[in-house]
Amino acid sequence: MMRTLADIKRSHLDTLADYRDKLRKEPQLRHLFFELTMRCNERCLHCGSRCGDVVSEELPADVFIGIIDKVKRDFKKLPMLCITGGEPLLRKEIYDIMGYASSQGFDWGMTSNGTLIDDDVAHKLYLAGMKTISISIDGLEATHDNFRFTPGGYKAAINGVKALTSHGGFQHIQVTTVVTHKSIGELDALFEIMLELPIDSWRVINLEPIGRAKKLNGYMLTNEDYVKLFSFIRSKRNEGYPVEYGCSHYLGLDYEREVRNWYFLCSAGVYTMSIMANGDIGGCLDIERRPETIMGNVLRDDLTDVWNNRFDIFRRPLSDSCAKCRDCSSVRYCEGGARHCWDYDKNEPQICFEGILF
């Protein structure tokens, strides 16, 4: 009897669910995030970390050097270092910190708004060993600049991408676009712009109800917008273009594996650990920062011990604490969804695609 595509996907998802159960018992640190600063030269309406023109606690460079040495000593396989902020290029020691990491065998990548990248910065990043980068472009010029409260931000970000691509030597240059209800009509026009940029991929994601975005009116995607978004991504991928959705959310059998390279798996606390600008240790940096999601602090706690022994909240299904999730037919594959989008007061997901996509 010939299996359908849905049958094949269910088989893959069952295998992944079994693997996830094992991963919670035997986590693997694959991505270690460094939040170098909360300072930023943009004022994005949706910023999950509420960054901007703020006074930011920042770990001294020698603390990051010590963390790099410790991770190299304590972990058999070196994780990818993921550098973010705020805008990480505002941290003047970035080249020293990451150059040292590269000399110790770490691969590293960065997320940036791109506005501070010119030919000289691109060369410095290359010398410091940067392998990958994702630059934010959140709409056509007027939309992007308004969304980020940064006149000229769009042109500066485009110039940053061009500086990186013209320099060469980087493994992967990506543009990330956050789509809102007000910008979803620009997807086709943005696609044409992305075709003209010599980038490796275009990551298209939805606005999430986190950080400043929770107070925005009229920006969250509607149900119809979500269908349009995922249909757009799937159609471009079917045409062979490197367009992809992010890691967030279980999307159901119709869209899982169609809009990204594999199936949904929230990696917070099982693949991913983050060090925040003040030294706090957590899972994904987008997760709400509250006592139960902060596992320790590098200034007072042993990082390896924290990873091995304190991540219990991240190593049990979110769905265990939500009756609606427990009763859902997709609970084995979703487990409550992405941890950064969980309502930790109500113990329920803030975004669920049951009834929208499946």
Side-chain angles (χ1 to χ4, degrees):
M1 181 177 179
M2 183 175 294
R3 292 201 301 170
T4 66
L5 179 58
D7 292 333
I8 294 170
K9 287 184 176 182
R10 285 192 190 91
S11 176
H12 289 166
L13 286 163
D14 283 331
T15 300
L16 180 60
D18 291 338
Y19 174 74
R20 187 190 295 115
D21 289 340
K22 180 180 179 182
L23 192 59
R24 282 195 286 263
K25 299 180 181 68
E26 301 173 9
Q28 304 169 21
L29 182 59
R30 296 188 180 184
H31 298 98
L32 177 58
F33 281 76
F34 287 173
E35 184 180 64
L36 292 188
T37 182
M38 296 285 279
R39 292 179 289 129
C40 189
N41 59 325
E42 296 192 322
R43 311 288 183 273
C44 303
L45 284 173
H46 68 302
C47 183
S49 301
R50 297 182 174 87
C51 298
D53 187 14
V54 298
V55 176
S56 172
E57 296 180 79
E58 296 175 358
L59 294 174
D62 63 341
V63 172
F64 281 110
I65 297 298
I67 292 168
I68 290 165
D69 288 339
K70 179 171 183 54
V71 172
K72 181 178 181 181
R73 183 173 63 249
D74 291 357
F75 291 84
K76 293 180 180 179
K77 186 174 181 179
L78 299 184
M80 175 85 171
L81 299 181
C82 308
I83 309 308
T84 186
E87 172 48 55
L89 287 172
L90 289 175
R91 187 70 190 263
K92 63 182 181 180
E93 304 97 335
I94 183 173
Y95 306 111
D96 295 330
I97 296 169
M98 302 320 301
Y100 179 75
S102 181
S103 75
Q104 297 304 301
F106 287 85
D107 288 337
W108 70 276
M110 180 172 69
T111 58
S112 170
N113 61 40
T115 62
L116 303 177
I117 299 175
D118 55 18
D119 292 339
D120 180 58
V121 170
H123 186 58
K124 289 179 179 178
L125 291 171
Y126 174 76
L127 293 179
M130 187 182 77
K131 296 294 190 294
T132 67
I133 188 168
S134 186
I135 303 293
S136 297
I137 297 177
D138 290 327
L140 299 178
E141 184 170 358
T143 299
H144 175 95
D145 289 358
N146 289 335
F147 194 53
R148 291 179 163 261
F149 270 72
T150 309
Y154 175 88
K155 289 180 179 177
I158 292 289
N159 288 336
V161 172
K162 290 179 177 178
L164 292 162
T165 54
S166 64
H167 185 280
F170 303 106
Q171 288 181 359
H172 198 99
I173 297 173
Q174 179 184 79
V175 167
T176 293
T177 298
V178 175
V179 179
T180 74
H181 178 63
K182 296 179 182 294
S183 67
I184 193 164
E186 299 179 353
L187 281 175
D188 289 318
L190 276 172
F191 175 73
E192 296 301 321
I193 292 171
M194 296 303 149
L195 285 181
E196 298 300 315
L197 293 174
I199 58 177
D200 298 294
S201 64
W202 182 29
R203 181 171 172 258
V204 184
I205 59 178
N206 57 280
L207 180 69
E208 301 276 33
I210 59 176
R212 292 191 188 122
K214 297 186 78 168
K215 296 184 178 180
L216 291 180
N217 293 317
Y219 281 84
M220 297 302 295
L221 296 182
T222 65
N223 292 355
E224 293 77 13
D225 290 338
Y226 281 122
V227 173
K228 182 176 181 179
L229 172 68
F230 293 117
S231 297
F232 172 85
I233 297 172
R234 180 166 62 183
S235 69
K236 296 307 180 187
R237 289 174 66 86
N238 287 341
E239 294 169 13
Y241 296 107
V243 183
E244 61 187 54
Y245 183 58
C247 60
S248 303
H249 309 301
Y250 174 70
L251 306 177
L253 292 179
D254 285 346
Y255 286 98
E256 281 294 328
R257 191 62 175 83
E258 306 288 330
V259 297
R260 53 191 167 205
N261 292 336
W262 199 236
Y263 298 91
F264 168 69
L265 169 65
C266 183
S267 69
V270 290
Y271 282 156
T272 300
M273 176 168 59
S274 299
I275 298 172
M276 301 167 206
N278 65 353
D280 282 346
I281 305 166
C284 167
L285 285 170
D286 286 335
I287 292 172
E288 183 181 356
R289 300 176 188 190
R290 46 196 290 155
E292 64 265 41
T293 62
I294 303 299
M295 303 293 99
N297 187 287
V298 295
L299 297 177
R300 63 174 183 270
D301 299 305
D302 183 278
L303 184 68
T304 307
D305 178 68
V306 170
W307 174 255
N308 289 334
N309 299 306
R310 294 197 193 177
F311 268 73
D312 289 350
I313 189 175
F314 295 108
R315 293 169 188 166
R316 58 177 181 264
L318 288 168
S319 52
D320 285 357
S321 57
C322 176
K324 181 179 178 181
C325 289
R326 288 196 304 269
D327 294 336
C328 177
S329 61
S330 299
V331 64
R332 176 165 164 78
Y333 308 143
C334 177
E335 291 194 340
R339 292 179 181 271
H340 73 271
C341 207
W342 189 255
D343 187 320
Y344 288 88
D345 291 316
K346 296 180 180 178
N347 274 323
E348 63 184 25
Q350 297 184 85
I351 290 180
C352 174
F353 288 115
E354 184 187 24
I356 302 174
L357 301 180
F358 63 95

